[in-house]
Amino acid sequence: LILITAPKNDWNLAYQSIYNDIKKIPNNLYEIHFAIVASVNQLALLIKRIASKRKIDILVIGGHGSPEGINFGAGYLDRKALNTEVFNNMRNCFSSDAKCYLLSCSTGKDEQSIANEVSRLFEINVYAPPIDTSITIEVKPSGELEFKYRNTELRSFSSNR
């Protein structure tokens, strides 16, 4: 199961191409859920609602980013927001080999960045760009998804799961 989110507030249309990328994902290989997210609470409740039916294998969080957090428009996902009650027991929402991709600029800059905090609290591996970049989702001939970040490699933040 793949859950893909994009921000309600997309001031520079950075996520316009994501809609087209999603259409290329074979729905015979993946159960895909897509949502526009405006707030941190909406994101947390969406994850829990989807996971109540089936654990999430791939979580994709889109939003305009910085090392400190992700902006959805009406909400900002940062350390403070992640440590609120709405995110309690989030690790139970994910399969044992789940992955998270942050489609958010600079969210993987270093060990103090929001990507590391998401990995720690959700207890899943998180992949994020260390710099400002554009992002596309491509489908390999095998059907595997590939997240491409322009002019940079993804940084990986490992959970202790």
Side-chain angles (χ1 to χ4, degrees):
L1 184 142
I2 301 172
L3 173 57
I4 301 172
T5 69
K8 181 174 177 81
N9 181 10
D10 186 14
W11 57 271
N12 66 355
L13 303 178
Y15 295 90
Q16 198 68 31
S17 66
I18 296 299
Y19 305 119
N20 293 328
D21 292 347
I22 292 169
K23 292 176 191 172
K24 294 184 247 173
I25 299 172
N27 56 9
N28 62 327
L29 296 178
Y30 300 100
E31 179 182 336
I32 303 166
H33 296 264
F34 174 75
I36 303 292
V37 174
S39 72
V40 171
N41 281 354
Q42 185 182 9
L43 174 67
L45 294 173
L46 174 68
I47 291 169
K48 289 180 178 181
R49 181 176 55 78
I50 298 292
S52 71
K53 296 176 179 75
R54 183 173 160 206
K55 290 192 183 279
I56 297 167
D57 299 303
I58 299 174
L59 173 64
V60 179
I61 301 174
H64 293 285
S66 72
E68 293 78 31
I70 301 169
N71 188 341
F72 301 118
Y76 191 68
L77 183 67
D78 59 7
R79 285 182 189 278
K80 182 179 177 184
L82 279 170
N83 285 289
T84 59
E85 189 175 324
V86 72
F87 283 101
N88 284 353
N89 300 313
M90 200 54 80
R91 70 183 163 279
N92 298 328
C93 296
F94 302 100
S95 64
S96 61
D97 58 347
K99 300 173 193 162
C100 175
Y101 293 89
L102 301 182
L103 305 188
S104 308
C105 290
S106 302
T107 50
K109 182 177 180 182
D110 54 36
E111 294 302 317
Q112 286 73 46
S113 64
I114 192 66
N116 196 44
E117 189 71 2
V118 170
S119 178
R120 186 183 72 76
L121 287 173
F122 290 11
E123 295 185 20
I124 59 176
N125 292 335
V126 174
Y127 303 89
I131 63 171
D132 290 357
T133 185
S134 63
I135 302 148
T136 58
I137 304 171
E138 296 184 7
V139 181
K140 293 181 179 181
S142 65
E144 181 183 354
L145 299 183
E146 182 175 19
F147 294 81
K148 290 196 170 186
Y149 295 72
R150 185 176 44 94
N151 298 327
T152 190
E153 296 294 319
L154 288 175
R155 288 207 56 212
S156 173
F157 297 86
S158 297
S159 72
N160 295 325
R161 190 175 223 191

